[in-house]
Amino acid sequence: SSSPRTANPFKSPSSPRIAPPLPLTLKQTLAPPLPLALKQTLKPTFKQTTHTRTTHSHTRPGSLLVLSGDPSSAFTSLANDVVRAGHTYSDLLVSKPLPVKSVTSGLIYGVGDVLAQLPPWRESTKGKSLDGKRLRNFMALGVGVGFIWALYYDWLEAQIGYLELPEGALRLSVEVACTQLLWTPLFFFFYTLPVNAYLNGKRDSEIIETVKEAWGPLVISNWKVWPFADLVIFNLPVQWRVLTANIFDIIWATIESDQVTDIK
C-alpha cells in the first residue's frame, strides 16, 4: 500500500502520463531536411557578389549587386555588363594600379583634346578635320600625367599618414594646399609644358619660351577648376583618386589642350 505522504489523492491510477516537451535543439536535430527542389524554389531572385575594397590604411568589405532576371531584357543585360566592368576595373586598380591609371588618363586626355579641337557647341568648327598628330601627342602626355599623379597621390597619402593627421577639415586643407600651391605649379613647369612642347617638335630655346609664356596663365586656369575638384578627390580612397581626377579632366583637358598646344 502507498504511504499517505506519497499518494496523490487526485490522480486516477489509470490516467495516462503526459510526455514533457522536447528541447529546442533536439527538435532541430529531428526535423527532416527540405527537399532540394523546394530549397531551389525558396531561393531569392537576386545574388550578391562580395569583394574587398582597399581604403587608406585598412580593408573593408564591399558589395556589388548583380541583377538577375529575364536574359532577353536588354536593360538587365546592359546593367550587369556595367556592374561587371566596374568590378573588373576596381580589381585592376588594386592589382595593376599604375598601368590602369596611366592608360585611363591617356584616354581621357584624348577625349579632352578632341573636344578642344572640334567642340560641338561651336558653329565655326563644323567641317574642320581633326589634327591626328596633336591628338596622339596629347594622349601620350596624358599617359605620363596619370602615371606621375598616381605616384604623387600615394606619396602624399604616406606623408599624411606619417603626420598622423585625423580625418577632417585640417587633413583636407593640408592635402588641397599641398597639391594646389606646391605640387601643381611645379608639375606644370617641369612636365606638362616642356614635355608637350617637345612632343610637338619644338627646340630647346622654343621650349623655354613656351614654359615662360604659358606657365602663369595655366596655373591660374588650374586654380579655377581644381580646388573644388580636390575637395571631392581627397575624400575618396587613394586608388580611386586618379580615375575621379580623370572625370574632371574631361573639362580640364579641354582647357589645358588649348592653352598648352596653341602656344606658337
Side-chain angles (χ1 to χ4, degrees), residues 10 19 32 47 59 92 111 113 146 161-162 164 166 185 195 201 224-225 238:
F10 302 101
K47 60 183 179 179
T59 301
L92 288 173
V111 173
D113 187 58
Y162 177 78
E164 297 182 350
V195 170
K224 294 177 182 178
V225 176
V238 66

Side-chain angles (χ1 to χ4, degrees), residues 35-44:
L36 179 62
L38 183 57
K39 284 184 177 181
Q40 294 174 345
T41 304
L42 295 177
K43 281 185 176 180

Side-chain angles (χ1 to χ4, degrees), residues 8 31 40 46 59 77 94 100 103-104 123 143-144 158 178 182 203 208 219 230 245 247 249 251:
N8 186 351
Q40 294 174 345
F46 63 90
T59 301
S77 177
V94 176
V100 172
V103 171
T104 302
E123 293 290 335
V143 171
C178 182
L182 298 176
R203 299 179 180 179
I208 294 173
V219 170
D230 282 342
I247 296 173
D249 265 332
I251 301 172

Side-chain angles (χ1 to χ4, degrees), residues 233-264:
I233 292 168
F234 286 114
N235 276 294
L236 295 172
V238 66
Q239 72 268 23
W240 287 98
R241 291 181 183 177
V242 172
L243 175 62
T244 307
N246 289 153
I247 296 173
F248 287 99
D249 265 332
I250 295 177
I251 301 172
W252 169 244
T254 304
I255 301 171
E256 184 182 32
S257 177
D258 275 336
Q259 292 193 234
V260 169
T261 60
D262 288 349
I263 299 297
K264 303 302 183 184

Side-chain angles (χ1 to χ4, degrees), residues 47 67-68 70 75 93 114-116 119-120 124 129 137 155 166 169 191 197 205 215 223 244-246 259 263:
K47 60 183 179 179
L67 304 176
S68 64
D70 185 0
F75 175 78
L93 280 176
V114 170
L115 291 176
S124 59
S129 59
N137 289 341
W155 174 85
Y191 176 79
S205 59
W215 180 76
W223 287 341
T244 307
N246 289 153
Q259 292 193 234
I263 299 297

Side-chain angles (χ1 to χ4, degrees), residues 39-59:
K39 284 184 177 181
Q40 294 174 345
T41 304
L42 295 177
K43 281 185 176 180
T45 57
F46 63 90
K47 60 183 179 179
Q48 204 167 22
T49 304
T50 302
H51 69 283
T52 300
R53 182 172 61 185
T54 304
T55 59
H56 301 297
S57 60
H58 63 281
T59 301

